[in-house]
Amino acid sequence: MSNIKITLPDGTIREYPKGTTSIQIAQSISEGLMRNVLAAKVNGEIWDANRPIENDANVQLLTWKDTEGKNTFWHSSAHLLAEAIESIYPKTKFGIGPAIETGFYYDIELPEGKMLSQDDFIEIEKKMLELARTKSEYIRKSVSKNDAISYFTEKGDNYKLELLEGLEDGKITFYTQGNFTDLCRGPHIPNTGFIKAVKIMNLAGAYWRGDVTRKQLTRLYAVTFPQDKELKEYLVLLEEAKKRDHRKLGKELELFTFSEKVGAGLPLWLPKGTLLRERLEQFLRKAQVKAGYLPVITPHIGSKKLYITSGHWEKYGKDSFQPIHTPEEGEEFMLKPMNCPHHCEIYASKPRSYKELPLRLAEFGTVYRYEQSGELHGLTRVRGFTQDDAHIFCRPDQVKDEFGKVIDLVLLVFKSLGFEDYTAQISLRDPENKTKYFGEDEDWEKAESAIVEIAKEKGLRTVTELGESAFYGPKLDFMVKDALGRKWQLGTVQLDYQLPDRFKLEYVGSDNKQHRPVMIHRAPFGSLERFIAVLTEHCAGNFPLWLAPDQIAVLPVSEKYHEYAKSIHTILEEADIRGFLDERDEKIQRKIRDAEVKKIPFMLIVGEKEEESNTISVREHGQGDKGASSLEDFIKMFQEKIKIH
RNA sequence: GCCAACGUAGCUCAGCGGUAGAGCACUUCCUUGGUAAGGAAGAGGUCGUGGGUUCAAUCCCCAUCGUAGGCUCCA
């Protein structure tokens, strides 16, 4: 029998008999590796670990540590889930069952309108583990399209038949483990025995092929692990994430609230949240003054005509809050969903010269958008929110420079607030569906290449998404992850050649002719609501000192020292240090506990010792007693800490 | 908007076909206590809302609003 040459990732070349499997390769390296190998990358393609290799190849063995290994594991788990469901509920139809970032899902349709509930999870989990223990091999088999069609026709699974329609004869494979056979490209792990821990997370409705007009299937989300310990760790992690949830912390720290009477998705900012928000605004205002922005203020409503001009009415009119009418004349006004049309009118309020460009108009503008009820989520997805908006009107030759300056500003914001894990998403239009967008091809191409170039020059870590642009231009969005690993868009920079056109904005060039300016929309925070939500989760409610609603708490040991405590508090207030004096009739332990729970950065404890020596005892949140200090030294230290802001 | 789930005191939650309970918070009193919860008493709810079934509904059914999970959408 002839041998083949296998090249491993470290460059070593080993010889094996033709038809060797990746498992056998692993075995030849070590028994331990053999037990852990889930799949293998053969010449860049992911293969089953038990698939024979017939020719010389580069082989990389994949284990749980590799993303591809995990994905294979989870995708195989999806088949196991399906097998379990089929054995419990025969005649179930199956949609698709892919691996996702953590775990996998399977879209299913249970027979005769049977509905699943959370109570059924345990039975399914038990069945899965039972089937896993049989160590059934995942067996790959090539089938002809006709055979595949007749298999699923007989089974009555119209979803698989629909999937088959899109597949080419000769490239169709089935995988079978135990009693379950599925249409699948693979690859899979060697056998079900690798799956040791199973947890069905939740269920949801999901439209078949993501199409609202199609039938809604039941989607089961689940996660599996090769060791029970890992499942436990994962569940602990989820618990930790829940503790950071901004909705929970927002309530506990009294930052914001919602009221059914006011309306869903309309946040009410409580005093502490307002303080925090105002600090953020102040910080950005200062930075914007330095960067040459000019403040403006515009009303919360605008004539419908304004949005007809801007194109927003055509694009979003029917999905917006509907116009409000004046009682006498029946004039129509929209709650403003955007600040840009208003800002365009400010630009247009007088003739502009090329010498005054770029003109940067900034406004913390509150906008209202109708979001579908199912989409509302804490502060991250609301119906009324305030953008730290600005529009830069500039000459075409200034675009790149201005765009770069905006990126610098966004990065300053992220840096000041400790966001290090972000990606920049370049959102371009969908080249397949150009009619969704306004404007000329030529402008789009110019705008898109400008963004790609400048992002590269600034050294941003980028991903490019087609079809994610605004209808008027491409965007550069800054994405960060929240405590639960969900991605949120914060800062955004958008290039726009359309609005200046629609509003017929002009400036007089050095040639004494009228020219059209280019517009850049930008918001470093995105919206204050979402930003504060993500920030809250990011720092688990332990806000940076300069932002904390209460920076200090003065805690007298007993009533006898209230007067001294009051004098301390007054001096701190005069030094612009925010905080409160805890004069409750409680023991000092209690006051400390309450202040710790409220995540107050500094606790200043005053009693007999302190009053006599004219000092304070400093306790830092989460760090315990820091010892005595004079008030002057404390204030100096404090001001040093918040200096850059 | 759609799918399945939930809605009980300010908060976190228990309960159940016979008109409600705990802990914390709150009020009052006692206590004046040195680095994460001192003690006692009290007050607080038409069980989200509107219908229906029933002798009787917080509990069962329907609708509606809201919340959390997902799908679709997102200027």
Side-chain angles (χ1 to χ4, degrees):
Chain A
M1 195 194 276
S2 56
N3 279 355
I4 50 169
K5 287 196 178 72
I6 298 297
T7 310
L8 297 171
D10 64 357
T12 55
I13 299 174
R14 292 172 173 237
E15 286 208 18
Y16 293 94
K18 200 168 150 84
T20 293
T21 66
S22 302
I23 297 178
Q24 288 160 338
I25 296 172
Q27 187 177 21
S28 74
I29 297 169
S30 86
E31 285 283 328
L33 186 57
M34 183 189 76
R35 277 197 300 276
N36 285 317
V37 69
L38 300 172
K41 213 187 246 182
V42 178
N43 292 331
E45 203 178 302
I46 303 170
W47 280 29
D48 301 315
N50 56 15
R51 182 165 164 191
I53 301 169
E54 305 293 346
N55 297 301
D56 292 356
N58 288 302
V59 172
Q60 182 193 349
L61 300 171
L62 298 171
T63 67
W64 180 251
K65 290 193 185 74
D66 304 290
T67 311
E68 294 105 326
K70 267 196 182 104
N71 284 341
T72 305
F73 186 88
W74 280 329
H75 180 208
S76 300
S77 302
H79 283 234
L80 183 65
L81 172 66
E83 185 184 0
I85 288 172
E86 193 172 61
S87 85
I88 302 172
Y89 312 103
K91 296 230 162 72
T92 298
K93 295 176 189 178
F94 294 91
I96 54 166
I100 51 177
E101 208 164 319
T102 28
F104 57 93
Y105 65 80
Y106 219 121
D107 286 345
I108 60 170
E109 185 186 324
L110 289 161
E112 284 133 36
K114 154 98 182 137
M115 286 297 171
L116 276 184
S117 85
Q118 309 242 346
D119 307 330
D120 302 315
F121 288 4
I122 296 168
E123 190 188 356
I124 300 171
E125 286 167 3
K126 262 172 70 186
K127 191 75 191 175
M128 283 175 78
L129 287 173
E130 186 189 313
L131 293 168
R133 276 193 294 271
T134 64
K135 298 194 177 155
S136 306
E137 274 188 63
Y138 287 87
I139 299 157
R140 183 175 193 271
K141 185 178 160 201
S142 286
V143 289
S144 71
K145 191 160 179 172
N146 277 336
D147 288 350
I149 290 171
S150 57
Y151 177 81
F152 283 110
T153 306
E154 192 179 327
K155 210 179 160 195
D157 197 330
N158 50 303
Y159 299 108
K160 293 293 176 190
L161 286 170
E162 193 178 326
L163 290 175
L164 273 169
E165 280 170 26
L167 296 178
E168 205 180 308
D169 196 8
K171 289 190 174 171
I172 295 168
T173 51
F174 276 9
Y175 275 82
T176 302
Q177 95 274 5
N179 292 319
F180 180 74
T181 296
D182 202 355
L183 168 70
C184 184
R185 187 190 306 125
H188 284 287
I189 57 178
N191 68 64
T192 58
F194 283 74
I195 301 165
K196 293 273 166 50
V198 168
K199 174 90 181 159
I200 299 178
M201 302 306 290
N202 50 35
L203 86 184
Y207 300 109
W208 172 237
R209 304 208 137 171
D211 184 344
V212 232
T213 62
R214 304 294 300 271
K215 181 147 179 130
Q216 195 161 42
L217 306 180
T218 303
R219 177 171 295 179
L220 278 170
Y221 284 89
V223 66
T224 51
F225 293 92
Q227 286 183 57
D228 200 42
K229 196 183 80 187
E230 285 168 292
L231 172 62
K232 292 212 172 79
E233 282 168 2
Y234 175 67
L235 294 177
V236 168
L237 197 79
L238 282 186
E239 285 304 308
E240 284 303 308
K242 265 192 207 159
K243 285 186 198 157
R244 287 173 165 250
D245 191 313
H246 78 276
R247 293 165 301 184
K248 180 175 151 68
L249 285 169
K251 196 178 267 181
E252 285 170 5
L253 302 177
E254 297 180 10
L255 300 178
F256 58 87
T257 190
F258 289 90
S259 149
E260 225 173 282
K261 283 207 191 78
V262 172
L266 299 170
L268 303 173
W269 287 86
L270 301 173
K272 287 183 199 303
T274 305
L275 266 169
L276 175 68
R277 178 176 157 155
E278 282 178 345
R279 287 277 132 177
L280 275 174
E281 283 185 22
Q282 207 178 68
F283 161 71
L284 187 60
R285 268 204 183 99
K286 259 198 223 166
Q288 287 184 166
V289 167
K290 270 193 208 151
Y293 287 81
L294 303 171
V296 295
I297 294 175
T298 65
H300 286 226
I301 63 173
S303 164
K304 180 174 152 189
K305 288 181 212 151
L306 182 67
Y307 302 101
I308 290 172
T309 304
S310 72
H312 291 105
W313 175 255
E314 181 190 331
K315 205 76 194 169
Y316 297 102
K318 65 177 185 326
D319 302 319
S320 306
F321 282 119
Q322 291 306 292
I324 44 181
H325 300 262
T326 55
E328 303 288 333
E329 310 85 341
E331 287 174 288
E332 293 184 293
F333 289 87
M334 305 283 295
L335 279 170
K336 83 172 165 187
M338 296 287 292
N339 300 301
C340 36
H342 292 73
H343 291 187
C344 284
E345 286 303 292
I346 291 179
Y347 179 93
S349 65
K350 67 170 194 178
R352 304 286 180 178
S353 151
Y354 74 97
K355 291 177 188 167
E356 54 184 311
L357 300 186
L359 181 70
R360 309 178 187 93
L361 302 179
E363 171 177 20
F364 287 90
T366 305
V367 297
Y368 300 89
R369 295 179 185 174
Y370 172 76
E371 301 288 357
Q372 296 182 66
S373 58
E375 204 41 57
L376 300 172
H377 179 93
L379 282 185
T380 52
R381 198 68 192 271
V382 287
R383 285 176 170 167
F385 58 95
T386 302
Q387 297 177 310
D388 54 329
D389 211 357
H391 296 96
I392 299 167
F393 300 87
C394 62
R395 307 191 304 260
D397 62 291
Q398 293 170 320
V399 165
K400 206 167 147 191
D401 203 31
E402 282 303 308
F403 210 95
K405 281 183 193 167
V406 171
I407 291 175
D408 291 341
L409 188 64
V410 174
L411 296 184
L412 170 75
V413 166
F414 281 20
K415 196 171 153 226
S416 302
L417 289 150
F419 286 111
E420 273 140 29
D421 185 18
Y422 57 85
T423 49
Q425 175 179 311
I426 300 175
S427 302
L428 306 178
R429 76 182 156 160
D430 181 356
E432 314 258 295
N433 194 359
K434 292 183 179 175
T435 51
K436 264 169 70 183
Y437 310 93
F438 288 173
E440 300 300 319
D441 272 2
E442 190 194 335
D443 285 340
W444 273 92
E445 276 154 29
K446 255 195 296 186
E448 293 187 340
S449 61
I451 289 187
V452 172
E453 261 173 57
I454 191 76
K456 201 169 182 186
E457 270 173 44
K458 291 285 173 189
L460 297 176
R461 190 155 53 106
T462 58
V463 291
T464 304
E465 295 287 343
L466 297 177
E468 289 292 306
S469 73
F471 71 86
Y472 48 71
K475 312 191 282 185
L476 182 67
D477 293 326
F478 290 81
M479 320 289 288
V480 300
K481 280 188 187 171
D482 72 8
L484 297 166
R486 285 177 296 216
K487 267 193 205 160
W488 293 102
Q489 176 202 314
L490 291 181
T492 177
V493 197
Q494 314 180 357
L495 209 41
D496 185 355
Y497 289 84
Q498 325 309 331
L499 271 193
D501 220 41
R502 299 184 73 98
F503 278 88
K504 300 197 166 41
L505 303 182
E506 291 182 323
Y507 65 88
V508 179
S510 55
D511 56 2
N512 200 26
K513 286 186 183 141
Q514 296 293 349
H515 297 270
R516 188 127 294 166
V518 180
M519 221 172 140
I520 298 170
H521 308 243
R522 47 104 280 181
F525 294 141
S527 88
L528 286 158
E529 285 74 8
R530 177 176 291 182
F531 191 85
I532 289 172
V534 178
L535 176 65
T536 303
E537 305 201 346
H538 184 68
C539 65
N542 299 301
F543 296 107
L545 188 58
W546 64 281
L547 279 176
D550 282 311
Q551 297 167 311
I552 54 108
V554 182
L555 311 179
V557 169
S558 84
E559 203 181 338
K560 288 185 221 154
Y561 316 106
H562 277 190
E563 206 163 312
Y564 178 62
K566 213 173 279 178
S567 72
I568 297 284
H569 185 224
T570 306
I571 295 168
L572 290 167
E573 275 182 327
E574 279 163 7
D576 280 329
I577 295 174
R578 299 183 298 275
F580 63 93
L581 173 58
D582 189 346
E583 288 184 305
R584 290 176 307 161
D585 177 16
E586 292 292 350
K587 288 169 73 167
I588 189 67
Q589 286 92 328
R590 180 50 182 273
K591 294 182 188 177
I592 287 169
R593 183 189 142 78
D594 289 348
E596 286 281 357
V597 170
K598 283 194 230 161
K599 301 178 191 288
I600 292 165
F602 287 105
M603 286 149 273
L604 308 179
I605 293 146
V606 294
E608 188 179 359
K609 273 187 301 191
E610 289 77 14
E611 180 160 14
E612 269 171 17
S613 57
N614 197 29
T615 58
I616 51 176
S617 278
V618 179
R619 182 186 165 103
E620 196 167 347
H621 171 72
Q623 304 195 21
D625 193 1
K626 290 286 191 183
S629 160
S630 77
L631 190 54
E632 294 75 55
D633 286 350
F634 175 76
I635 292 174
K636 214 182 285 172
M637 179 277 293
F638 187 98
Q639 285 169 341
E640 194 60 35
K641 281 197 177 218
I642 60 170
K643 209 160 91 188
I644 48 164
H645 306 285

